[in-house]
Amino acid sequence: PAAARRGSWALPAALVRRGGLVGGRWVETAAAFPVQDPASGEELGRVADCGPAEAREAVRAAHEAGAAWGRLPAKERSLQLRRWYELMLENKEELARIITAENGKPLKEAQGEILYSASFLEWFAEEARRVYGDVIPASAKDRRILALKQPVGVAAIITPWNFPSAMITRKVGAALAAGCTVVVKPAEDTPLSALALGELANQAGIPAGVYNVVPCSRQQTPAVGEVLCTDPLVAKISFTGSTATGKILLKHAAGTVKRVSMELGGHAPFIVFDSANVDRAVAGALASKYRNSGQTCVCTNRFLVQKGIHDEFVEKFAKAIERELHVGSGFDAKTTQGPLINEKAVEKVERHINDAVSQGASIVTGGKRHSLGKNFFEPTLLSNVSTKMLCTQEETFGPLAPVIKFDTEAEAIAIANAANVGLAGYFYSQDPAQIWRVAEQLEVGMVGVNEGIISSVESPFGGVKQSGLGREGSKYGIDEYLEIKYVCFGGL
């Protein structure tokens, strides 16, 4: 039966790689670690368990390739990134199957991720040719002042499991466009996507050593992360993941004063004011909360609904959840809610629900594990929620929607801004003056106004407070991988 199940979603052999990618070569290690399908628990295969030695080798390979890559004309780097993008599109179905197999998200969502992921290579292929310096008017007649933009050097890229392809290309596309080389450390749950991208990078003609991948187990991750953050040949760290891990990496990077970009944890508020179009708000809430089963950095974690429309919103939201969300294997065409990444994630959702109910919250729909298996959980809606409950104090990262009732605009903003993180925030209103006030006052890096899905390649992605440093995507994303060099040209 297991073999029969796998027959409908067999991993594409042409893109599945088991070794690390170092200096253009596929590297095997003495030990390997398993990659599992979170839906069934079945082992998809074993991948090379790279350690500090392989990480250092990858850094050296990236450093050695850096001079030639950085000196290439921007147009040539652009053409190679463009070819990589085209290969992703040619292999989009195979890449999506890899994501669904190792991550669990519905195949339709995985296909969407591949298109989103590829679009970063396209975007930064175009931005590579738009890295402009400046000529600055000098105060002395015999001088000219120039500002040049140059690649920072080797960039260490550390990525999460929830978007195993897009979180790589959003960083790597910018780095390579700027003239940097990279060492990618993918999440231990989802290394196959990073390695598949490496295979396509080789096919695209990206030179050996420009894109390196060092997969490793959970046990090896701290040591590999420390190497990438402390090796003096690494000039830049870009990390997406938890705030706690980000703080550890920042401490490591401080020793050699590396450039850092951090996209860390979120705790997104979703505010629905009395003036809102409730039906549109419900549609936005469904999309924002339950995409990837609530396992996204920017998904809503706290719903704040004004008292005048609170009951109507909760009723319509519950009906939409029950009508439109379907739990199942990501390879089932009707599935909208795949498994959570592992049992630890399920336990956190349970803990948040139990804590909320013990303090008076009501389960409107869902509330328990799904019968399909240990990593599946019912999409859940809670009402009568207070700010004292765990689910409103920390990020759940699962299919749980807690609703808090509020009275005034000032109260909603105060609750929303009480968090020590600030990645994304959403609100629904049809009052133009209120839209301006709230958009400006929310302490987040990204705001969705009457929109539940806001990510795009053209937009600057990042947060404030303890949600991180820097921006990714957009015209600003490439600046994270560039140094500004001042040149004073005298004696004229």
Side-chain angles (χ1 to χ4, degrees):
R5 285 200 306 274
R6 289 196 64 173
S8 63
W9 53 267
L11 291 173
L15 291 181
V16 174
R17 293 290 175 267
R18 309 292 186 184
L21 179 58
V22 178
R25 297 178 298 105
W26 294 106
V27 176
E28 299 297 331
T29 55
F33 67 96
V35 180
Q36 294 178 321
D37 170 9
S40 66
E42 183 181 353
E43 186 175 302
L44 300 171
R46 301 180 77 84
V47 170
D49 194 3
C50 295
E54 289 79 16
R56 292 190 187 96
E57 185 182 352
V59 169
R60 286 195 299 272
H63 179 71
E64 290 168 2
W69 180 253
R71 284 197 301 266
L72 272 182
K75 183 177 181 180
E76 291 188 32
R77 292 199 301 273
S78 174
L79 290 173
Q80 291 189 37
L81 282 170
R82 179 78 191 186
R83 180 57 184 148
W84 196 6
Y85 156 74
E86 291 167 350
L87 285 171
M88 284 195 70
L89 294 188
E90 291 172 18
N91 292 274
K92 62 180 183 296
E93 297 302 324
E94 292 81 2
L95 293 168
R97 290 211 307 274
I98 291 173
I99 288 178
T100 295
E102 65 179 351
N103 169 279
K105 69 175 59 177
L107 187 58
K108 186 176 180 180
E109 279 193 32
Q111 291 164 343
E113 178 179 344
I114 291 303
L115 294 178
Y116 181 53
S117 176
S119 69
F120 283 107
L121 297 182
E122 179 189 36
W123 173 265
F124 285 113
E126 296 164 349
E127 287 299 293
R129 301 182 67 183
R130 301 187 180 94
V131 177
Y132 303 133
D134 287 301
V135 178
I136 303 167
S139 57
K141 290 181 180 180
D142 63 345
R143 291 184 181 181
R144 298 294 183 270
I145 295 174
L146 309 178
L148 309 181
K149 290 186 178 181
Q150 297 181 317
V152 298
V154 176
I157 307 295
I158 304 173
T159 58
W161 51 263
N162 58 340
F163 287 89
S165 181
M167 294 303 94
I168 291 174
T169 58
R170 190 162 71 188
K171 301 172 187 294
V172 170
L176 268 58
C180 298
T181 55
V182 300
V183 178
V184 177
K185 205 295 285 182
E188 60 272 12
D189 295 297
T190 56
L192 297 177
S193 291
L195 296 170
L197 287 174
E199 171 60 28
L200 293 181
N202 286 349
Q203 293 180 24
I206 302 293
V210 172
Y211 178 85
N212 304 275
V213 186
V214 284
C216 64
S217 64
R218 194 178 307 274
Q219 291 72 28
Q220 289 275 36
T221 289
V224 169
E226 184 172 351
V227 166
L228 296 179
C229 290
T230 58
D231 193 306
L233 294 180
V234 175
K236 160 84 181 185
I237 304 292
S238 181
F239 170 71
T240 295
S242 72
T243 298
T245 301
K247 290 177 180 180
I248 293 171
L249 298 181
L250 279 169
K251 289 179 181 178
H252 286 319
T256 46
V257 195
K258 299 188 190 305
R259 288 274 295 275
V260 293
S261 296
M262 297 274 163
E263 192 255 288
L264 307 177
H267 192 37
F270 188 110
I271 307 171
V272 187
F273 291 103
D274 283 344
S275 68
N277 179 315
V278 175
D279 292 331
R280 285 193 61 182
V282 166
L286 202 70
S288 173
K289 175 68 255 184
Y290 293 107
R291 184 167 59 113
N292 198 21
S293 298
Q295 299 174 116
T296 80
C297 303
V298 294
C299 81
T300 299
N301 207 61
R302 303 168 289 160
F303 288 89
L304 313 176
V305 184
Q306 201 159 12
K307 62 180 181 181
I309 57 159
H310 173 274
D311 293 351
E312 179 187 2
F313 176 85
V314 170
E315 180 182 355
K316 289 185 173 181
F317 195 13
K319 288 180 179 178
I321 291 168
E322 294 165 358
R323 180 180 65 247
E324 298 184 31
L325 301 184
H326 304 280
V327 178
S329 164
F331 288 100
D332 187 331
K334 69 179 181 181
T335 294
T336 64
Q337 304 291 286
L340 274 66
I341 191 65
N342 52 41
E343 192 168 12
K344 185 178 179 181
V346 174
E347 290 170 354
K348 186 174 187 182
V349 177
E350 284 184 322
R351 186 167 68 253
H352 280 190
I353 291 172
N354 292 338
D355 170 78
V357 171
S358 72
Q359 296 188 59
S362 303
I363 297 174
V364 182
T365 188
K368 62 184 185 298
R369 296 189 188 213
H370 197 279
S371 58
L372 279 173
K374 65 180 183 179
N375 290 343
F376 291 91
F377 204 91
E378 295 176 345
T380 301
L381 176 62
L382 298 180
S383 64
N384 300 319
V385 173
S386 76
T387 57
K388 295 180 180 179
M389 299 173 184
L390 272 180
C391 60
T392 64
Q393 294 177 359
E394 59 184 37
E395 190 175 26
T396 303
F397 230 65
L400 170 60
V403 179
I404 302 168
K405 184 189 293 187
F406 72 89
D407 290 330
T408 67
E409 178 184 308
E411 180 189 359
I413 291 172
I415 294 172
N417 290 344
N420 62 4
V421 292
L423 190 57
Y426 310 87
F427 70 92
Y428 276 69
S429 170
Q430 297 186 97
D431 178 342
Q434 184 176 60
I435 288 172
W436 279 110
R437 289 194 304 269
V438 177
E440 291 177 350
Q441 290 180 62
L442 281 180
E443 295 173 356
V444 295
M446 300 172 284
V447 180
V449 183
N450 297 323
E451 288 291 344
I453 301 291
I454 59 175
S455 299
S456 70
V457 294
E458 301 87 356
S459 310
F461 192 103
V464 299
K465 298 182 178 178
Q466 293 186 35
S467 281
L469 303 164
R471 293 295 181 268
E472 295 182 330
S474 78
K475 69 176 184 178
Y476 305 105
I478 200 167
D479 290 339
E480 301 288 336
Y481 298 89
L482 294 166
E483 295 281 16
I484 296 175
K485 178 183 284 185
Y486 157 47
V487 177
C488 180
F489 192 177
L492 300 179

